Amino acid sequence: MSRLLDSPPAPGGSPPAMGAKTLARSLRDGVNGVDFNRFRFWLQVFFFAFLVYGGFLGIDLGHSLPTFSCVYNGEGRSGMCYLAPLQHQLAQPWPKLFGEAGIAVLVGFSIFFLWFIALNKGWCGFICPLGTIQDWITGLRKRLGVRYSRYSETQFQTLSWIKYVLLALMILIPLGIGGGYISHDMSAPYCAICPARLIIPVFAGDFRQLVVDFSSPAKLVMTALGALVGGLFLIGSFVKKRFWCFFCPMSAFHYLLSKPALFRLKKDGDKCTRCGDCYSVCDLQIKEIADDVKTPQIMMDDCIVCLKCVAACPEEGALKASFAGMTIFESTEAGFVKRMEKGVRS
Amino acid sequence: MKASDSLTAIGALTAGLALLGAFATPVLARPSKAPTALVAQPAPAPQPAASAPMAAAEPNAPEADLSRPWPEPLWLSETSANRAGSKKSQATDAPSQVSDHQNHAGMGAGGAPMASVQADAAEAMVDMAGSGGPKTLWLRRGGDPATAPNAKLADEHIALRIVASDGKHWEAPLTQDARGGLQAKVDLPTLGFYDAYLLRQSVQGGVLDVQLAKAELLKGTCCSKRDNDLYKPAEDNSLPIEIIRAHGPDEKLMTHITSGEKAVFFVRSYGKPVAGAKVSIETQEGWGKHASTNADGRVEFTLVRDYFPDWSDFNRRKTGTFLVLAEVERPEAGAIDGQNYSVARYQTSIAGRYYPAPYDYQSYAYALSLILGVATFGGLAVWLHRHRRARPFKEIRFNEQAA
């Protein structure tokens, strides 16, 4: 949008060009001064309803969505989280996987990648139903007047690796199944422990996932582990903002693929005063957002691109969100003041 | 009988025989072979009510030898007798060796939500990886699914008639396997339910024996939103006898019958309900039950729980087979291949699979206890942690002048 404003006026008509410029500036100021938290809340509500109940309206976005549109939400889902089919595809016998079925794997991954690069980790910050549920739990905590927890720097650095470990296991275990080394009862290992499997179908009235499966030792361990993680998710999300996003293998997967993404978070270090407002509103406690004044592409691996940092930044143009090189939302002093009056710190 | 009734009966008989003749054409051309094998041929249009074959016997029809036993049932199975084994206790565990999606893309057997929702995700692969190749059906003979051997027929060029739920139909030839059993490989082009039929008839002792072996096949998936028409069972209203498994209201392209659930069947003749048909069900474990159809041709059975292994031996994918037979005997006069009959016996079969009920191995109580327990104790731990770290307010005053 800024580039649009900077573009030369249309030839042969300065008054209309001026009008367009004024309109564009008004639009830019309107966007940059938006009541961001309210906007994001309703956008999340929309996407939650779309992904959790859209299936009842016949909506089907396919099998390769880069967000937790849970496969176990059978009728309601309007698309499928890519991690489920990926794990099952990788669990095919090796001759098949590295043969004709490999084409299906590549096709599925390509579709996933195309979905992903459009919004980058904005899928996490705005669209993921499980992320939205965590934000709702956070909202409940705030209403109850309970303060939230934060990790120490040491804890942060240590726990930050868990999502990569989960991602590796999510790939290696299915491959082991396909190779005949691991029981089929371990299929879709991440889905077995994913809180989305337990919680999202409940929103569609399906409670069938709230079980421990005693049919085999592997099933028993995985479903019991899933229940344990489900309990941890509930209490963790209550005391820690975006508790699960910190451990989410989808988040790790996103980060590994994020280089060519169109939607980006950028920082102009020259304009940053290191006031720390961005860090204080960051649900994921990403310190670099405040400390790093050298890296323009500031999106870190834990980032969910919720853009709360942009909304909380008082410096003109220090933080900005862009799509395909075009700035669509940036920090402004006017926007900061406007939001502060409404209470941007949530 | 009034003259008009006689004409109606004769008309119905003629139409019925014409229909049977359409099925029997290839065999009837070989009169030396009786009893005959009958090859499913493209069927004529569905017959109106007047074509019902249950016409009264003509006065000059031959006397039927009703003491002659019914022919051994013929049925179509997705499992070869050689694979299923001959012992009842050796219920078909073979599918447990395959993955979930291979297991589910099999013979239709539903009426209820799938037994294992975990299999939902697995079934995604059916669509995505293009799995679900041709299905193999074996022709088996005998009323006990545990012991029925593969049927060996002397007739050549026998084919199954495959009917899709949209009415399209084609043939799948039965060929001999290495042990002489008859099998057919059936390609299912699109998602949905299909029926496979084998119709045979013969006349002996003035009795017409009509046997229809039927299998319901499913090319399924859990993971695509599909037209509801795909969930309907396939039917063929041109058949003199047929048994149809009723699909449950929630039945989709990914269903299992499990122990404890009701399986509902309808017996029809040319699309019309057959009341009073004797229907029996027998499972591979030896449980059986008899019932009769009501005025709507409907009969239902509740599949018993018949799987009680030790926990260490439990197999949630253990597949049991049930065989349902429906028999109707009616006075009916006619002739086939020069042999008159005055009584017709219709026998039809359908087999299906059932699985252990999820309630046998899944527990809501344990899961909810774990979830709530972890959340409660986790919350308590957080509270205690915070409580122990809390320090009472202490005001610190700096004396700037002193500094």
Side-chain angles (χ1 to χ4, degrees):
Chain A
M1 205 169 296
S2 296
R3 287 194 176 185
L4 284 177
L5 294 175
D6 295 340
S7 60
S14 56
M18 286 299 290
K21 195 170 182 178
T22 306
L23 179 65
R25 177 167 294 157
S26 300
L27 187 61
R28 184 187 66 178
D29 291 343
V31 170
N32 291 336
V34 71
D35 183 351
F36 183 77
N37 282 349
R38 178 174 290 183
F39 168 76
R40 181 166 170 263
F41 172 81
W42 286 111
L43 198 61
Q44 286 182 292
V45 168
F46 168 77
F47 280 117
F48 183 88
F50 182 81
L51 290 176
V52 176
Y53 304 109
F56 294 120
L57 302 175
I59 299 169
D60 185 6
L61 299 180
H63 302 137
S64 302
L65 293 183
T67 194
F68 286 159
S69 180
C70 185
V71 64
Y72 295 94
N73 179 23
E75 287 300 300
R77 67 164 190 270
S78 57
M80 190 190 297
C81 167
Y82 177 61
L83 298 189
L86 174 65
Q87 291 171 87
H88 282 284
Q89 286 177 325
L90 295 179
Q92 295 175 95
W94 286 358
K96 191 176 179 185
L97 176 64
F98 298 110
E100 77 274 14
I103 298 171
V105 178
L106 291 176
V107 169
F109 177 78
S110 301
I111 297 171
F112 163 80
F113 185 69
L114 290 174
W115 278 114
F116 168 72
I117 61 170
L119 291 179
N120 202 350
K121 295 182 84 171
W123 284 98
C124 307
F126 290 86
I127 300 176
C128 178
L130 195 66
T132 300
I133 291 170
Q134 292 175 83
D135 288 343
W136 290 346
I137 295 174
T138 294
L140 175 66
R141 174 188 56 73
K142 283 168 60 182
R143 284 186 180 276
L144 294 176
V146 179
R147 66 183 173 88
Y148 61 88
S149 297
R150 297 177 78 88
Y151 297 127
S152 69
E153 186 64 18
T154 310
Q155 289 169 336
F156 185 94
Q157 297 298 340
T158 307
L159 296 175
S160 185
W161 284 98
I162 291 180
K163 57 182 172 295
Y164 293 103
V165 174
L166 290 177
L167 178 63
L169 290 174
M170 189 193 81
I171 292 171
L172 293 175
I173 291 175
L175 286 173
I177 293 171
Y181 300 107
I182 300 175
S183 163
H184 267 283
D185 286 340
M186 291 285 287
S187 64
Y190 175 68
C191 290
I193 64 164
C194 180
R197 178 180 67 87
L198 298 181
I199 293 171
I200 290 179
V202 169
F203 281 85
D206 184 351
F207 298 88
R208 287 179 295 174
Q209 296 303 313
L210 300 175
V211 294
V212 170
D213 189 329
F214 288 87
S215 62
S216 72
K219 282 285 180 189
L220 173 60
V221 168
M222 295 307 287
T223 51
L225 198 56
L228 285 171
V229 171
L232 276 177
F233 173 86
L234 292 178
I235 188 61
S237 302
F238 189 75
V239 297
K240 177 81 178 71
K241 295 177 184 176
R242 288 284 185 147
F243 168 78
W244 188 250
C245 299
F246 201 63
F247 310 112
C248 177
M250 179 73 94
S251 176
F253 204 15
H254 282 183
Y255 185 66
L256 296 176
L257 301 170
S258 63
K259 289 290 180 191
L262 300 175
F263 187 54
R264 293 182 177 213
L265 177 64
K266 294 179 180 175
K267 180 174 180 178
D268 186 342
D270 293 338
K271 297 176 180 175
C272 176
T273 60
R274 302 181 68 175
C275 66
D277 275 5
C278 48
Y279 173 64
S280 65
V281 298
C282 180
D283 290 347
L284 275 295
Q285 276 186 253
I286 299 170
K287 210 171 178 190
E288 287 83 351
I289 190 70
D291 289 350
D292 190 344
V293 292
K294 295 179 180 175
T295 310
Q297 307 294 337
I298 197 62
M299 194 193 83
M300 311 306 289
D301 59 348
D302 295 306
C303 181
I304 56 173
V305 194
C306 63
L307 303 186
K308 287 170 75 173
C309 52
V310 181
C313 178
E315 304 301 331
E316 290 282 344
L319 286 170
K320 57 183 70 172
S322 67
F323 186 84
M326 186 173 71
T327 300
I328 57 174
F329 180 51
E330 65 180 337
S331 57
T332 60
E333 184 178 348
F336 170 77
V337 171
K338 191 175 175 182
R339 283 186 285 269
M340 281 298 289
E341 288 171 352
K342 292 188 177 181
V344 70
R345 294 174 187 273
S346 57
Chain B
M1 180 182 292
K2 294 180 180 178
S4 58
D5 292 340
S6 300
L7 287 173
T8 304
I10 291 169
L13 184 61
T14 306
L17 287 177
L19 182 63
L20 285 175
F23 276 94
T25 303
V27 175
L28 296 181
R30 293 176 290 154
S32 60
K33 289 191 175 180
T36 62
L38 186 138
V39 182
Q41 294 295 310
Q47 298 301 301
S51 68
M54 315 310 182
E58 292 181 353
N60 58 351
E63 188 171 346
D65 178 12
L66 295 179
S67 63
R68 195 172 58 82
W70 284 72
E72 274 198 299
L74 282 173
W75 54 287
L76 294 167
S77 168
E78 272 202 308
T79 310
S80 167
N82 304 323
R83 186 178 173 191
S86 56
K87 295 178 182 177
K88 289 187 176 183
S89 59
Q90 199 174 0
T92 314
D93 275 347
S96 65
Q97 303 303 315
V98 299
S99 62
D100 275 350
H101 62 272
Q102 290 169 307
N103 198 9
H104 294 155
M107 183 175 289
M114 53 185 296
S116 164
V117 182
Q118 278 84 349
D120 257 347
E123 194 63 17
M125 294 298 301
V126 174
D127 263 0
M128 303 186 64
S131 61
K135 313 219 174 291
T136 304
L137 288 173
W138 277 268
L139 184 64
R140 296 174 66 177
R141 186 193 294 278
D144 183 349
T147 59
N150 290 341
K152 297 177 182 179
L153 303 177
D155 315 300
E156 297 175 352
H157 310 303
I158 309 175
L160 300 182
R161 175 182 166 85
I162 311 298
V163 178
S165 54
D166 61 3
K168 291 178 183 172
H169 54 82
W170 63 94
E171 288 186 2
L174 278 164
T175 57
Q176 287 194 342
D177 63 13
R179 301 190 183 191
L182 288 170
Q183 65 175 22
K185 293 193 182 300
V186 183
D187 277 310
L188 305 179
T190 57
L191 293 173
F193 287 94
Y194 299 80
D195 284 338
Y197 300 101
L198 179 69
L199 185 62
R200 291 171 55 85
Q201 63 178 3
S202 62
V203 176
Q204 276 190 329
V207 177
L208 169 67
D209 289 317
V210 178
Q211 287 182 287
L212 181 82
K214 174 182 174 180
E216 186 180 41
L217 301 170
L218 168 63
K219 182 166 185 173
T221 179
C222 74
C223 303
S224 294
K225 311 297 180 186
R226 302 288 178 178
D227 188 346
N228 285 338
D229 287 343
L230 284 179
Y231 308 148
K232 296 176 183 174
E235 297 180 31
D236 189 343
N237 292 337
S238 67
L239 295 170
I241 188 79
E242 182 182 13
I243 188 164
I244 299 162
R245 184 182 65 80
H247 290 191
D250 297 327
E251 183 162 347
K252 299 285 172 65
L253 296 180
M254 180 66 185
T255 52
H256 280 164
I257 285 183
T258 60
S259 297
E261 290 180 348
K262 286 180 180 175
V264 179
F265 300 91
F266 288 91
V267 179
R268 290 184 183 151
S269 173
Y270 297 106
K272 299 203 172 297
V274 177
K278 294 176 181 175
V279 185
S280 66
I281 186 171
E282 179 149 354
T283 70
Q284 196 156 356
E285 295 292 336
W287 173 81
K289 192 175 180 182
H290 297 267
S292 295
T293 54
N294 64 12
D296 297 325
R298 183 180 190 277
V299 64
E300 71 176 36
F301 300 100
T302 301
L303 285 163
V304 296
R305 182 186 179 196
D306 56 4
Y307 184 51
F308 303 96
D310 292 335
W311 181 66
S312 57
D313 298 328
F314 187 84
N315 178 7
R316 63 201 289 269
R317 301 190 189 95
K318 179 207 171 269
T319 309
T321 300
F322 65 81
L323 173 61
V324 179
L325 289 174
E327 295 176 340
V328 183
E329 182 178 292
R330 295 287 169 83
E332 181 182 326
I336 287 182
D337 199 19
Q339 299 187 65
N340 294 328
Y341 59 88
S342 57
V343 169
R345 289 172 167 173
Y346 295 91
Q347 183 187 70
T348 182
S349 65
I350 187 170
R353 289 173 171 176
Y354 64 103
Y355 298 83
Y359 304 106
D360 287 352
Y361 56 86
Q362 291 183 345
S363 167
Y364 285 94
Y366 278 88
L368 290 173
S369 300
L370 276 171
I371 293 170
L372 296 177
V374 169
T376 304
F377 284 106
L380 192 62
V382 170
W383 182 82
L384 283 174
H385 177 69
R386 289 181 174 184
H387 184 70
R388 290 172 61 184
R389 292 187 62 188
R391 297 287 181 268
F393 176 76
K394 184 179 178 182
E395 186 177 3
I396 300 173
R397 295 192 174 193
F398 293 94
N399 188 342
E400 294 181 352
Q401 290 180 339

